[in-house]
């Protein structure tokens, strides 16, 4: 009962053991982590690891129905077509066999061209991080969980809801860096509005690459920003251009302007990123009843048409460039037009999205979403329902895994922690149930016998410290003890935890030469004026 | 846009249509319901209907691993055996081939006897309600959701937590009767402590049968109580003894006293109920690390041994008697010994339990559980995780569907409503995604085209009122509007809803002669002193 628990570590990998009192020097240290010299109050976490999808994904529609959605999408692309708001993209597609009329934005695709072109998209790839221990496998049965991204506002219990700013931006990066179950940054956790738009991407990407060491996303907001981000990701990894072009080290989400349109900044994102073998996550944002048909099958057919068109462009730009199929079909509240998330419609379309991605043999992106304004029961149930849709839908890349609220309009500090709890529970759910002579425990049952108790059995004593998932948030105290403690609810506990994590935060190590090169790059690009902001 | 919405009804079946203003006389009425003569503020609900499991259940363990658990269970029953604390039960089992030493409580079972005996258990059956429209199919791909049951305490936001009592007992029955998604009563929603134990069952079952008209459960607390409950269920249905013996009209949960023991009142429940073809839900309560091995495979092997032993007894008493395989394996907090629910361990054992039930070809029981003390994010995420385990585990009979908190130690009014929201969302998740020419919406996409908006399309306008699940609780208003409304969180909204439902409650109709016969039975049994309370 005094052996250290090898499976449970605190942030950055130092072993937390509430019972043992090993000297600081004996505490183990993982590379990329930091030693903790004294007893820490930090919550126990699962160690850094990517879960694997062990269970057969749920098939919401039959194989025939899936083919009907697929065929409808091809018909949309062939007959209606899609608007591409960039001439270079249209020219590339025309050269590759798409039908484009001179001077028109509409692009139409023969079905065979679509099917032929997407064949070169890889089924899986490695997304590289600055810290090699944080490289991620994207595809197959691997899952990676991302941070919240792209929220214009931020909120915590103490300060309430406020406009996104650089200080909160940095703190949310630090917080997600400390959470082992957050595997990558899905974008800016909150928009740092107080950084001027012409140079915001430089400071923001610099923060992502220095305050943390996990894989990152950059926004497709024109050529200048995305090429700056690629250069910074290359510098941060300390690799040359050729290596960067071989090793995906950055990803960008491409949202179509549904229905059936891809705008210029997004197209430039595909053109620049795919050319250098970086990762496109092609995600139509198809809200049924608004930007897509009110029927789920129709919304999915539209999603699929837009996703296929984007995938085709990536492969035209560079056959073999990594591309992820993104599903983000939800519904609106038909009374108010407000988007809804974590709904039964969302769950099913998330799962059908996964069926489509598997049909095309590419990795699948889904999200952990909620429309709730407060960190209440609604926030939790919408998130778990969306995780149910994602996980049983076969998600490989989970965007907005920790902290997304209010339909994406704010990032919540407490929601980051509660979501990290949910993600840890999902990861534990994906742990195998080991069935062998040892775990079947016949000897223990013989020893205890009818009417006995297992706690004292050797079989229990030698295993109990690592037997079960240990929660950060869940309060299992009896009612009286809990009431004496002030009847704390989940958000209050989450509030304490994010503060403890931020207080314990230390930046991950970085080579001084790399840091200097990054700083020099940022300084130079700022002196050049950053990027034009008139897009 | 003015047609009434056929798919959405308010409690008891009156159509709720926020836009239309049809005269009261035109409002439709379902049998068993009541007409609502004026505009109601009651929440919209899905109509009464049993969902069907449309998706392939999740297989957490392989077929080989499942066989290993099965074989370990048979070995337990053969070698260790199980204590049966009732002589009549032991004698019956001995006659049927089990090995019993005279004067000993231990019963051991040859594996072939177990496998042979359970073959007669039916794969599905109808559980009859007083109101024929509320009969339930138990088994196959049918799901039925039950109320909270057996809580010793009760809680609401206004009155806080208090000991169970008759007034709250009756109100919780009324509330669950009003909720279409609560299909049956899983027991006493809260224990009416203020009714004397000798006659409590008479008043309590009378209330269940008169304040509501859905299928009910009665407790196996000795022969007297369960036979009284059977007679009352028979009277309430207005059927004779022979019909009652053909038609399951009552169910009882049998919990083994794990590990490996069945006590006298529970055994009398099996003997009396199975003899009359009534429903046994055989549910070992196997908390890993306490009453069962700390390893999940071992806890499941023990659960399965106990479940099989109970199933054997039902079939020895009456071949063909309905019996449900109950899974309730969870884990304890190994620091405090407190039981934990809705955990990753719970989810996986719920799913393996379903695999075992399907292996034996009998219906499966699981539960909606939470250890939370407040109706906070924890309460919601533990409940949705347990629903994920249950639904993807292939549950047929969901106990504690609405209202269970604090590991079963209290029933919560607000939790009833929030759970009803979760159950409605699960039911909507189980609705098929219809894929046909109409739903694929190619015409709508042609009409709207790239860059357009679907709200104005005829395809949308003719479908939007019934297109999506409508929530009772989820608040999708924008932040500013929500804040102006006082920043209401989910429990506050649930508090309003249960009050509205209780205010609108009317008892379901009952034949006067049936009511009189029930009253006379209760009066006679009370005059006889009820049942002894020295068990």
């Amino acid at each position: 009962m005094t052996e250290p628990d090898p499976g449970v570590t605190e942030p950055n990998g130092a072993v937390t053991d509430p019972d043992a009192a090993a000297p600081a020097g004996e505490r183990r240290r993982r590379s990329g982590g930091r030693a903790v010299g004294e007893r820490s109050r930090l919550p126990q976490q699962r160690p850094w690891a990517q879960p694997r999808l062990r269970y057969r994904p749920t098939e919401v529609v039959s194989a025939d129905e899936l083919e009907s959605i697929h065929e409808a999408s091809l018909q949309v692309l062939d007959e209606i077509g899609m608007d591409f708001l960039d001439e270079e993209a249209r020219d590339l597609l025309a050269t590759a066999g798409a039908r484009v009329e001179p001077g028109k934005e509409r692009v139409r695709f023969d079905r065979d061209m679509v099917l032929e072109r997407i064949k070169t998209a890889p089924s899986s790839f490695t997304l590289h991080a600055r810290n090699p221990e944080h490289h991620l496998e994207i595809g197959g049965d691997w899952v990676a969980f991302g941070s919240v991204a792209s929220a214009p506002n931020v909120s915590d219990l103490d300060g309430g809801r406020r406009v996104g700013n650089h200080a909160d931006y940095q703190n949310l990066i630090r917080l997600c860096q400390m959470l082992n179950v957050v595997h990558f940054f899905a974008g800016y956790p909150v928009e740092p509005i107080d950084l001027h738009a012409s140079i915001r991407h430089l400071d923001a990407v610099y923060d992502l690459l220095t305050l943390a060491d996990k894989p990152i996303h950059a926004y497709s907001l024109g050529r200048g920003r995305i090429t700056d981000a690629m250069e910074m990701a290359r510098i941060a990894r300390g690799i040359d251009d050729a290596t960067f072009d071989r090793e995906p080290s950055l990803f960008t989400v491409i949202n179509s302007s549904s229905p059936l349109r891809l705008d210029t900044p997004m197209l430039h994102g595909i053109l620049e990123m795919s050319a250098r073998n970086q990762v496109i996550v092609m995600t139509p944002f198809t809200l049924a009843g608004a930007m897509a048909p009110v029927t789920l099958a129709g919304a999915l057919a539209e999603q699929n048409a837009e996703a296929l068109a984007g995938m085709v462009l990536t492969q035209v730009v560079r056959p073999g460039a990594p591309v992820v199929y993104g599903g983000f079909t939800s519904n609106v509240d038909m009374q108010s037009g407000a988007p809804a998330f974590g709904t039964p419609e969302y769950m099913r379309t998330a799962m059908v999205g996964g069926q489509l991605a598997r049909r095309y043999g590419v990795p699948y992106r889904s999200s952990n979403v909620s429309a709730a304004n407060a960190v209440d029961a609604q926030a939790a149930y919408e998130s778990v329902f969306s995780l149910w849709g994602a996980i049983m839908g076969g998600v490989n890349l989970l965007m907005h895994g920790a902290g997304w609220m209010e339909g994406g309009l704010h990032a919540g500090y407490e929601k980051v922690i509660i979501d990290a709890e949910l993600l840890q529970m999902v990861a534990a759910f994906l742990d195998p149930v080991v069935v062998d002579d040892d775990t079947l425990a016949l000897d223990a049952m013989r020893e205890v016998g009818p009417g006995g108790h297992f706690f004292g059995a050797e079989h229990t004593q030698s295993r109990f410290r690592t037997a079960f998932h240990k929660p950060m948030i869940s309060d299992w105290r009896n009612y009286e003890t809990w009431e004496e403690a002030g009847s704390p609810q989940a958000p209050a506990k989450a509030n304490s935890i994010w503060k403890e994590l931020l207080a314990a935060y230390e930046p991950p190590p970085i080579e001084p030469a790399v840091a200097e090169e990054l700083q020099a790059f940022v300084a130079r690009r700022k002196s050049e004026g950053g990027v034009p902001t008139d897009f």
Side-chain angles (χ1 to χ4, degrees), chain A residues 53 57-59 61 66-67 69-70 73 118-119 121-124 138-140 281-284 300 303-305 307-308 311 323-328 349-366 390 393-397:
Chain A
L53 298 167
T58 298
E59 291 174 1
V61 296
L66 197 72
E67 283 312 286
I69 295 170
H70 164 77
S73 311
I118 62 173
K119 278 185 185 166
S123 59
S124 67
I138 307 297
V281 178
M282 183 62 220
T283 312
L300 285 160
Q303 166 189 295
N304 199 53
L308 288 174
M311 288 163 62
V323 59
V324 175
Y325 185 111
F328 209 95
T349 55
M351 290 169 165
V352 179
Q355 291 183 263
L356 289 163
R358 288 190 296 282
R359 189 198 182 290
Y360 305 123
V362 293
Y364 182 52
R365 165 254 161 108
S366 188
V395 66
N396 301 112
L397 186 85

Side-chain angles (χ1 to χ4, degrees), chain A residues 2 19 39 79 86 88 92 116 133 140 149 182 194 238 260 278 348 352 356 362 386 410-411 414 465 478 498 528:
Chain A
T2 53
D19 297 328
R39 164 96 39 246
E79 183 192 322
D86 178 75
E88 181 184 342
L92 277 170
E116 195 57 33
E133 302 215 349
V182 177
D194 46 351
L260 300 173
Q278 302 303 305
R348 287 174 288 167
V352 179
L356 289 163
V362 293
S386 64
H410 84 252
E414 287 80 19
R465 300 200 46 253
N478 69 45
W498 70 253
E528 294 166 359

Side-chain angles (χ1 to χ4, degrees), chain A residues 344-399:
Chain A
E345 290 74 28
Y346 182 90
M347 293 174 74
R348 287 174 288 167
T349 55
M351 290 169 165
V352 179
Q355 291 183 263
L356 289 163
R358 288 190 296 282
R359 189 198 182 290
Y360 305 123
V362 293
Y364 182 52
R365 165 254 161 108
S366 188
S367 309
N368 170 11
V369 290
S370 166
N373 292 312
V375 198
D376 64 351
Q378 179 187 342
Y381 67 67
E382 288 179 339
S383 273
V384 184
F385 278 125
S386 64
L387 288 169
W388 181 348
I391 294 294
M392 301 315 291
V395 66
N396 301 112
L397 186 85
L398 186 86
M399 295 281 289

Side-chain angles (χ1 to χ4, degrees), chain A residues 436-516:
Chain A
D436 58 22
D437 286 349
D438 179 55
T439 59
L440 284 168
L442 277 167
D443 281 343
M445 285 190 258
R446 285 187 192 99
E447 176 188 342
V448 171
H453 200 289
F454 284 83
F455 190 73
E458 194 281 328
H459 186 267
T460 309
Q461 288 295 315
S462 61
R463 288 167 184 80
F464 82 96
R465 300 200 46 253
T466 55
F468 308 130
H469 170 67
K470 293 188 175 70
M472 292 195 298
I473 294 285
S474 299
D475 197 325
W476 296 338
R477 289 178 290 187
N478 69 45
Y479 194 90
E480 292 70 22
T481 309
W482 171 79
E483 199 171 31
E484 280 164 21
S487 308
Q489 298 200 8
K493 199 158 175 181
N495 183 270
S496 299
I497 290 173
W498 70 253
K499 288 174 182 169
E500 288 162 13
L501 288 171
L502 279 189
Y505 169 83
E506 287 176 22
I510 188 166
E511 292 293 328
V514 168
E516 278 163 32

Side-chain angles (χ1 to χ4, degrees), chain A residues 250-286:
Chain A
L250 185 68
F251 80 98
T252 191
V253 169
I254 300 297
N255 291 130
S256 36
S257 301
S258 305
L260 300 173
R261 196 152 64 171
L262 264 165
D263 68 19
T264 310
M266 291 290 171
L267 286 169
H268 288 173
I270 295 178
L271 297 179
E272 298 293 337
M273 288 277 283
S274 291
R276 300 205 61 189
N277 202 32
Q278 302 303 305
V279 181
I280 299 297
V281 178
M282 183 62 220
T283 312
F285 182 28
T286 30

Side-chain angles (χ1 to χ4, degrees), chain A residues 1-10 13-18 20 28-30 44-49 180 462-467 470:
Chain A
M1 291 185 58
T2 53
E3 63 183 339
D5 170 348
V8 177
T9 64
E10 62 184 23
V15 170
T16 298
D17 180 349
R28 91 187 58 180
R29 185 192 164 109
R30 288 167 187 262
Q44 293 186 346
Q45 295 187 45
R46 291 171 64 91
W48 168 277
N180 292 338
S462 61
R463 288 167 184 80
F464 82 96
R465 300 200 46 253
T466 55
K470 293 188 175 70

